[in-house]
Amino acid sequence: MNQYAELTWQGLWKNNPGLVQLLGLCPLLAVTSTLTNALGMAIATIVVMVCSNATVSLIRQWIPKEIRIPIFVMIIAGFVTCVQLLINAYAYGLYLSLGIFLPLIVTNCIIIGRAEAYASKNDLLPSAYDGLIMGIGFGVILLLLGAVREILGQGTLFSGAEILLGDWAKSLTIHLIDFDQSFLFIMLPPGAFVALGFILAIKNSVNSRVEALIEPPVEIEKPQRVRINKVS
Amino acid sequence: MYLSVAPSPHHKGTGDTSTVMRNVALATMPGIAALVYFFGAGVLVQIIICITTAMLTEAAVLHLRKKDISTTLKDNSALLTGLLLGLSIPPLAPWWIGVIGVVFAVLIAKQLYGGLGFNLFNPAMVGYVLLLISFPVAMTNWSVPTELSHHQVTFSDIISVIFTETTTTGMTVNDIRHTIDGVTMATPLDTLKTDLTLGLTVGESTAKDMFSSWAGFGWEWVNIAFLVGGIYLLKIGVIRWHIPVAVIGSLLFCSLLGYLLDPDSHGTPIIHLFSGATMFGAFFIATDPVTAATSNRGKLLFGVIIGALLYIIRNYGGFPDAIAFAVLLANMTVPVIDYYSKPTSYGNKAD
């Protein structure tokens, strides 16, 4: 069980794909303008990651080492196509609003990175779990960024949830602040960069504070420097 | 007697940051006076909002960074950032426009890069571009010069419009912007750009009311006032002549070229030089010592880039005026310019 606890810790915090590895920035920045889009993207990414990691792990003995990357890409592309067709069929509005970024999950470096770094070397269950946890770690950042940008950008939360979850979800939309005009900067990719930067800064500062609590920093004796340009 | 063996520089200037910033702020006074005369006291209200926000933001960030608040605030750089941004936003814009712009300018464009002296981009212009991109409607609602305006706007109306978005009698900014003829009026450069896209020639566009004098009603005097302030800065040695001269020179060259080649679709050099924010930009924005190039040759090149970009964006871009974009784009080139325009030190051969 220890292995799974380690995987969880790595995927959610220590080695979070969105905050530490900084992989998959393209969907992270492009589709997080609302919480609904972020949620759709998160679910799609998690499904693809679990399936591709499991498949890669199952067939890892038969993959020739030299051509492993093209094979991984083909496996991932297969699952992405499935997810894309499913979303096209059951959540057409979301399909339209995610646009090109849905098929582009294929090129998301997190997925191929986990296939290469973990799934191609480990058994089925740990690999699938790794895909799930890494996907969730990425999805949490997507949701956080989507929520922050939606609140600051247009003052709502979960607007358009019905296109993802069906008509009952219309009541999920919360109007927090009433703006006359939306704050376009936050809705555009530059705003996502700035918001991500702040989230990174918060994560790093929490990290260093916790580490300082666990083990107090060792005082390093600094070498003395002599200044010769001042006459006292 | 003792002989000092300190390394160079041996000759030190006497002015400190605080004095320099205060002098720049003082030099904007003629410009502020002209703006207030033509566009009403809203300009002053915006400046006060912006300066207050700038000081508070700077103090808050310094507190977070555990730096000494009072010594840094006394260098007046936050005050100047607030002042420059306050001068750039429309006089009757809602109060939160200035607040958002200044917070972004001081917090992100200046303090996150490490504070005064470390910022790559001109903070005031970063704030301005953020506002222009985020709130294009509010940022392009420039007031009509008071003399051409249909409505007499009192000071309480101005306060009311800025803080509640309607006057005491219930008029919005757009209602106030009606001229005597009952049409809303944009800035001269904006009008020129719109008319050109509508298929009018420059001659037909400049026949309108607002061009009744030579470069757009009110705007020419605002520019002359900033020019006077800029010359004062040159005279007391706060800025060098290189950047303003290069900006104005390259803008003059480009506009003259455009005007001579195709006078029907390119505004006259006079309009380009004395309308919009040309003089304000050339003397007060582009000369920011932190974000401009360092050497004299570099400054000339930096200015030329700004002037050329200014003309290109004004004529072929999506925005009627472009000081902020031109300055920010030129800021990006500064590290390269500085690298290639290093002056040869005394005694070494130029390579």
Side-chain angles (χ1 to χ4, degrees):
Chain A
M1 206 54 213
N2 199 17
Q3 186 189 9
Y4 292 100
E6 174 68 19
L7 278 179
T8 314
W9 170 242
Q10 290 281 343
L12 292 186
W13 185 261
K14 180 109 195 300
N15 216 357
N16 185 303
L19 288 186
V20 181
Q21 304 178 37
L22 290 179
L23 292 176
L25 283 183
C26 167
L28 191 66
L29 301 172
V31 299
T32 53
S33 53
T34 66
L35 192 54
T36 312
N37 281 357
L39 183 62
M41 194 64 180
I43 294 171
T45 311
I46 293 172
V47 170
V48 172
M49 279 194 81
V50 173
C51 297
S52 68
N53 261 16
T55 316
V56 167
S57 164
L58 275 179
I59 60 168
R60 66 183 193 277
Q61 272 89 356
W62 297 289
I63 299 179
K65 205 170 178 308
E66 294 78 12
I67 55 161
R68 63 189 192 286
I69 300 291
I71 292 178
F72 294 161
V73 172
M74 273 165 59
I75 293 170
I76 296 165
F79 285 115
V80 170
T81 312
C82 296
V83 168
Q84 189 191 351
L85 289 174
L86 282 173
I87 292 182
N88 194 348
Y90 293 105
Y92 189 61
L94 184 71
Y95 177 78
L96 289 182
S97 73
L98 289 183
I100 185 67
F101 295 100
L102 202 49
L104 276 181
I105 297 177
V106 179
T107 58
N108 191 330
C109 353
I110 301 170
I111 302 173
I112 201 155
R114 291 326 288 176
E116 160 78 7
Y118 197 86
S120 64
K121 297 174 188 123
N122 288 283
D123 289 335
L124 172 65
L125 269 182
S127 297
Y129 187 73
D130 177 75
L132 178 70
I133 281 298
M134 284 286 169
I136 291 175
F138 183 63
V140 168
I141 305 307
L142 278 173
L143 292 179
L144 189 59
L145 210 52
V148 168
R149 286 179 67 193
E150 191 174 341
I151 291 172
L152 292 180
Q154 49 189 34
T156 60
L157 210 52
F158 262 124
S159 78
E162 66 274 5
I163 59 172
L164 177 64
L165 302 170
D167 276 336
W168 64 271
K170 262 185 190 157
S171 53
L172 276 181
T173 307
I174 308 163
H175 287 273
L176 292 168
I177 322 161
D178 259 332
F179 291 155
D180 289 345
Q181 309 159 347
S182 54
F183 191 3
L184 271 179
F185 172 76
I186 293 285
M187 311 288 285
L188 294 170
F193 271 109
V194 173
L196 180 67
F198 274 104
I199 295 176
L200 279 176
I202 293 170
K203 197 256 173 192
N204 288 345
S205 107
V206 170
N207 235 14
S208 56
R209 265 177 213 189
V210 171
E211 268 168 24
L213 274 184
I214 294 170
E215 43 186 290
V218 191
E219 287 285 324
I220 305 165
E221 204 169 301
K222 283 182 187 157
Q224 294 284 316
R225 278 189 64 199
V226 183
R227 294 188 63 145
I228 52 151
N229 56 358
K230 268 235 170 107
V231 188
S232 53
Chain B
M1 174 190 158
Y2 83 91
L3 295 169
S4 165
V5 285
S8 63
H10 303 291
H11 181 77
K12 292 175 186 136
T14 46
D16 54 354
T17 315
S18 169
T19 327
V20 169
M21 298 285 173
R22 201 171 55 234
N23 278 326
V24 176
L26 280 179
T28 59
M29 289 302 164
I32 296 176
L35 278 172
V36 171
Y37 178 78
F38 285 106
F39 299 101
V43 181
L44 290 179
V45 181
Q46 298 292 354
I47 292 174
I48 292 168
I49 293 175
C50 286
I51 290 181
T52 321
T53 319
M55 293 297 220
L56 290 177
T57 316
E58 178 110 329
V61 182
L62 289 172
H63 177 72
L64 280 179
R65 295 180 65 200
K66 301 188 180 71
K67 303 248 170 164
D68 188 18
I69 295 177
S70 63
T71 42
T72 317
L73 271 188
K74 267 187 211 146
D75 73 12
N76 289 340
S77 64
L79 178 138
L80 191 64
T81 303
L83 175 64
L84 294 180
L85 192 56
L87 281 171
S88 320
I89 56 185
L92 294 180
W95 62 273
W96 45 263
I97 290 273
V99 172
I100 290 178
V102 168
V103 168
F104 193 84
V106 174
L107 177 70
I108 290 179
K110 184 176 160 201
Q111 288 293 347
L112 283 191
Y113 281 90
L116 182 69
F118 296 97
N119 46 320
L120 284 178
F121 298 101
N122 189 316
M125 288 302 104
V126 172
Y128 182 81
V129 165
L130 169 92
L131 293 173
L132 189 60
I133 288 175
S134 299
F135 311 107
V137 179
M139 286 301 286
T140 44
N141 269 349
W142 260 92
S143 320
V144 176
T146 25
E147 281 176 46
L148 293 185
S149 174
H150 180 58
H151 301 285
Q152 289 309 310
V153 185
T154 62
F155 188 69
S156 61
D157 280 339
I158 291 171
I159 296 285
S160 172
V161 162
I162 291 175
F163 287 96
T164 65
E165 306 195 5
T166 49
T167 61
T168 40
T169 49
M171 287 192 295
T172 62
V173 180
N174 259 322
D175 297 331
I176 298 176
R177 288 176 67 237
H178 284 287
T179 59
I180 305 167
D181 301 333
V183 290
T184 52
M185 200 168 92
T187 60
L189 284 175
D190 205 354
T191 313
L192 187 63
K193 191 165 187 72
T194 320
D195 285 349
L196 288 180
T197 48
L198 289 178
L200 271 67
T201 63
V202 170
E204 285 165 348
S205 177
T206 48
K208 289 188 175 176
D209 249 5
M210 92 181 54
F211 292 101
S212 51
S213 42
W214 36 282
F217 189 84
W219 286 96
E220 65 236 355
W221 291 108
V222 172
N223 272 286
I224 288 173
F226 277 119
L227 178 63
V228 170
I231 290 171
Y232 165 73
L233 280 184
L234 278 177
K235 195 158 165 45
I236 60 171
V238 167
I239 58 173
R240 314 277 299 259
W241 58 268
H242 304 81
I243 294 178
V245 166
V247 171
I248 293 170
S250 83
L251 182 62
L252 181 66
F253 175 78
C254 292
S255 53
L256 204 58
L257 198 68
Y259 185 67
L260 290 178
L261 287 178
D262 186 1
D264 277 348
S265 62
H266 295 78
T268 60
I270 296 284
I271 291 182
H272 277 291
L273 286 188
F274 288 97
S275 197
T278 309
M279 294 300 166
F280 176 60
F283 285 95
F284 292 91
I285 300 294
T287 52
D288 171 28
V290 179
T291 56
T294 316
S295 66
N296 289 344
R297 262 195 309 154
K299 278 179 180 163
L300 284 173
L301 184 56
F302 178 75
V304 168
I305 291 177
I306 292 181
L309 282 173
L310 188 56
Y311 186 72
I312 292 170
I313 302 176
R314 273 183 182 179
N315 262 321
Y316 309 108
F319 293 91
D321 204 354
I323 287 287
F325 292 110
V327 169
L328 291 184
L329 287 169
N331 282 162
M332 283 184 214
T333 67
V334 163
V336 180
I337 293 179
D338 277 349
Y339 182 80
Y340 285 106
S341 67
K342 239 182 273 172
T344 332
S345 54
Y346 181 69
N348 287 350
K349 266 186 198 158
D351 41 25

